[in-house]
PDB file of all heavy atoms in Angstrom:
ATOM      1  N   CYS A1724       6.311  14.796  14.191  1.00 94.00           N
ATOM      2  CA  CYS A1724       4.889  15.134  14.351  1.00 94.00           C
ATOM      3  C   CYS A1724       4.521  16.125  13.259  1.00 94.00           C
ATOM      4  O   CYS A1724       4.949  17.277  13.299  1.00 94.00           O
ATOM      5  CB  CYS A1724       4.657  15.750  15.728  1.00 94.00           C
ATOM      6  SG  CYS A1724       3.036  16.537  15.896  1.00 94.00           S
ATOM      7  N   HIS A1727       1.953  19.277  14.212  1.00 92.00           N
ATOM      8  CA  HIS A1727       2.482  20.478  14.871  1.00 92.00           C
ATOM      9  C   HIS A1727       3.921  20.770  14.459  1.00 92.00           C
ATOM     10  O   HIS A1727       4.598  21.571  15.105  1.00 92.00           O
ATOM     11  CB  HIS A1727       2.354  20.344  16.391  1.00 92.00           C
ATOM     12  CG  HIS A1727       0.925  20.250  16.832  1.00 92.00           C
ATOM     13  ND1 HIS A1727       0.033  21.288  16.659  1.00 92.00           N
ATOM     14  CD2 HIS A1727       0.212  19.238  17.369  1.00 92.00           C
ATOM     15  CE1 HIS A1727      -1.165  20.911  17.098  1.00 92.00           C
ATOM     16  NE2 HIS A1727      -1.088  19.671  17.529  1.00 92.00           N
ATOM     17  N   VAL A1729       6.759  19.184  14.731  1.00 94.00           N
ATOM     18  CA  VAL A1729       7.781  18.970  15.773  1.00 94.00           C
ATOM     19  C   VAL A1729       8.852  18.018  15.237  1.00 94.00           C
ATOM     20  O   VAL A1729       8.548  16.930  14.741  1.00 94.00           O
ATOM     21  CB  VAL A1729       7.155  18.398  17.058  1.00 94.00           C
ATOM     22  CG1 VAL A1729       8.205  18.351  18.171  1.00 94.00           C
ATOM     23  CG2 VAL A1729       5.962  19.222  17.483  1.00 94.00           C
ATOM     24  N   ILE A1734      12.267  16.760  19.921  1.00 95.00           N
ATOM     25  CA  ILE A1734      11.781  15.699  20.814  1.00 95.00           C
ATOM     26  C   ILE A1734      12.956  15.121  21.599  1.00 95.00           C
ATOM     27  O   ILE A1734      12.872  14.937  22.818  1.00 95.00           O
ATOM     28  CB  ILE A1734      11.045  14.611  19.996  1.00 95.00           C
ATOM     29  CG1 ILE A1734       9.790  15.212  19.360  1.00 95.00           C
ATOM     30  CG2 ILE A1734      10.693  13.416  20.882  1.00 95.00           C
ATOM     31  CD1 ILE A1734       9.172  14.364  18.270  1.00 95.00           C
ATOM     32  N   MET A1744       6.556  11.065  27.999  1.00 94.00           N
ATOM     33  CA  MET A1744       5.568  11.235  26.926  1.00 94.00           C
ATOM     34  C   MET A1744       4.604  12.395  27.227  1.00 94.00           C
ATOM     35  O   MET A1744       4.376  13.260  26.378  1.00 94.00           O
ATOM     36  CB  MET A1744       4.818   9.899  26.787  1.00 94.00           C
ATOM     37  CG  MET A1744       4.010   9.767  25.559  1.00 94.00           C
ATOM     38  SD  MET A1744       5.049   9.589  24.092  1.00 94.00           S
ATOM     39  CE  MET A1744       3.857   9.975  22.833  1.00 94.00           C
ATOM     40  N   LEU A1747       6.361  15.725  27.036  1.00 95.00           N
ATOM     41  CA  LEU A1747       6.600  16.139  25.646  1.00 95.00           C
ATOM     42  C   LEU A1747       5.323  16.681  25.025  1.00 95.00           C
ATOM     43  O   LEU A1747       5.322  17.703  24.344  1.00 95.00           O
ATOM     44  CB  LEU A1747       7.110  14.949  24.817  1.00 95.00           C
ATOM     45  CG  LEU A1747       8.515  14.430  25.160  1.00 95.00           C
ATOM     46  CD1 LEU A1747       8.764  13.083  24.500  1.00 95.00           C
ATOM     47  CD2 LEU A1747       9.583  15.440  24.740  1.00 95.00           C
ATOM     48  N   ARG A1748       4.219  15.989  25.304  1.00 95.00           N
ATOM     49  CA  ARG A1748       2.927  16.456  24.767  1.00 95.00           C
ATOM     50  C   ARG A1748       2.648  17.867  25.242  1.00 95.00           C
ATOM     51  O   ARG A1748       2.263  18.732  24.466  1.00 95.00           O
ATOM     52  CB  ARG A1748       1.788  15.541  25.247  1.00 95.00           C
ATOM     53  CG  ARG A1748       1.673  14.256  24.471  1.00 95.00           C
ATOM     54  CD  ARG A1748       0.262  13.664  24.684  1.00 95.00           C
ATOM     55  NE  ARG A1748       0.201  12.342  24.076  1.00 95.00           N
ATOM     56  CZ  ARG A1748       0.335  11.200  24.742  1.00 95.00           C
ATOM     57  NH1 ARG A1748       0.506  11.205  26.062  1.00 95.00           N
ATOM     58  NH2 ARG A1748       0.283  10.042  24.118  1.00 95.00           N
ATOM     59  N   GLY A1749       2.874  18.108  26.545  1.00 95.00           N
ATOM     60  CA  GLY A1749       2.580  19.416  27.125  1.00 95.00           C
ATOM     61  C   GLY A1749       3.515  20.482  26.572  1.00 95.00           C
ATOM     62  O   GLY A1749       3.081  21.577  26.200  1.00 95.00           O
ATOM     63  N   ALA A1750       4.802  20.156  26.487  1.00 95.00           N
ATOM     64  CA  ALA A1750       5.785  21.181  26.123  1.00 95.00           C
ATOM     65  C   ALA A1750       5.813  21.440  24.621  1.00 95.00           C
ATOM     66  O   ALA A1750       5.988  22.578  24.187  1.00 95.00           O
ATOM     67  CB  ALA A1750       7.166  20.757  26.615  1.00 95.00           C
ATOM     68  N   LEU A1751       5.666  20.402  23.820  1.00 95.00           N
ATOM     69  CA  LEU A1751       5.880  20.552  22.374  1.00 95.00           C
ATOM     70  C   LEU A1751       4.604  20.380  21.555  1.00 95.00           C
ATOM     71  O   LEU A1751       4.594  20.657  20.366  1.00 95.00           O
ATOM     72  CB  LEU A1751       6.913  19.524  21.884  1.00 95.00           C
ATOM     73  CG  LEU A1751       8.287  19.555  22.548  1.00 95.00           C
ATOM     74  CD1 LEU A1751       9.119  18.346  22.115  1.00 95.00           C
ATOM     75  CD2 LEU A1751       9.013  20.841  22.182  1.00 95.00           C
ATOM     76  N   ARG A1752       3.562  19.889  22.178  1.00 95.00           N
ATOM     77  CA  ARG A1752       2.278  19.574  21.525  1.00 95.00           C
ATOM     78  C   ARG A1752       2.384  18.385  20.570  1.00 95.00           C
ATOM     79  O   ARG A1752       1.420  18.056  19.880  1.00 95.00           O
ATOM     80  CB  ARG A1752       1.702  20.799  20.788  1.00 95.00           C
ATOM     81  CG  ARG A1752       1.379  21.946  21.751  1.00 95.00           C
ATOM     82  CD  ARG A1752       0.842  23.150  21.036  1.00 95.00           C
ATOM     83  NE  ARG A1752      -0.478  22.891  20.458  1.00 95.00           N
ATOM     84  CZ  ARG A1752      -0.924  23.480  19.347  1.00 95.00           C
ATOM     85  NH1 ARG A1752      -0.152  24.298  18.682  1.00 95.00           N
ATOM     86  NH2 ARG A1752      -2.135  23.223  18.906  1.00 95.00           N
ATOM     87  N   CYS A1753       3.532  17.742  20.493  1.00 94.00           N
ATOM     88  CA  CYS A1753       3.627  16.578  19.602  1.00 94.00           C
ATOM     89  C   CYS A1753       2.688  15.483  20.102  1.00 94.00           C
ATOM     90  O   CYS A1753       2.396  15.411  21.297  1.00 94.00           O
ATOM     91  CB  CYS A1753       5.069  16.074  19.512  1.00 94.00           C
ATOM     92  SG  CYS A1753       5.811  15.675  21.096  1.00 94.00           S
ATOM     93  N   ALA A1754       2.206  14.654  19.189  1.00 94.00           N
ATOM     94  CA  ALA A1754       1.295  13.550  19.505  1.00 94.00           C
ATOM     95  C   ALA A1754      -0.026  14.021  20.109  1.00 94.00           C
ATOM     96  O   ALA A1754      -0.722  13.247  20.755  1.00 94.00           O
ATOM     97  CB  ALA A1754       1.952  12.522  20.426  1.00 94.00           C
ATOM     98  N   THR A1755      -0.366  15.282  19.889  1.00 94.00           N
ATOM     99  CA  THR A1755      -1.669  15.740  20.385  1.00 94.00           C
ATOM    100  C   THR A1755      -2.639  16.001  19.234  1.00 94.00           C
ATOM    101  O   THR A1755      -3.781  16.363  19.459  1.00 94.00           O
ATOM    102  CB  THR A1755      -1.532  17.046  21.207  1.00 94.00           C
ATOM    103  OG1 THR A1755      -0.960  18.047  20.357  1.00 94.00           O
ATOM    104  CG2 THR A1755      -0.658  16.844  22.424  1.00 94.00           C
ATOM    105  N   GLY A1756      -2.170  15.853  17.998  1.00 92.00           N
ATOM    106  CA  GLY A1756      -3.065  16.037  16.850  1.00 92.00           C
ATOM    107  C   GLY A1756      -3.655  14.697  16.468  1.00 92.00           C
ATOM    108  O   GLY A1756      -4.390  14.085  17.234  1.00 92.00           O
ATOM    109  N   CYS A1760       2.116  10.049  15.195  1.00 94.00           N
ATOM    110  CA  CYS A1760       3.517  10.062  15.608  1.00 94.00           C
ATOM    111  C   CYS A1760       3.696   9.482  17.007  1.00 94.00           C
ATOM    112  O   CYS A1760       4.835   9.286  17.450  1.00 94.00           O
ATOM    113  CB  CYS A1760       4.066  11.484  15.558  1.00 94.00           C
ATOM    114  SG  CYS A1760       3.195  12.594  16.687  1.00 94.00           S
ATOM    115  N   ILE A1764       7.323   8.400  18.980  1.00 95.00           N
ATOM    116  CA  ILE A1764       7.839   9.178  20.114  1.00 95.00           C
ATOM    117  C   ILE A1764       7.939   8.283  21.355  1.00 95.00           C
ATOM    118  O   ILE A1764       8.931   8.327  22.096  1.00 95.00           O
ATOM    119  CB  ILE A1764       6.954  10.422  20.370  1.00 95.00           C
ATOM    120  CG1 ILE A1764       6.992  11.318  19.121  1.00 95.00           C
ATOM    121  CG2 ILE A1764       7.432  11.188  21.592  1.00 95.00           C
ATOM    122  CD1 ILE A1764       6.020  12.475  19.156  1.00 95.00           C
TER     123      ILE A1764
END
Side-chain angles (χ1 to χ4, degrees):
C1724 167
H1727 297 295
V1729 187
I1734 295 166
M1744 194 71 197
L1747 292 167
R1748 280 199 187 99
L1751 303 171
R1752 297 179 67 211
C1753 56
T1755 59
C1760 62
I1764 298 172

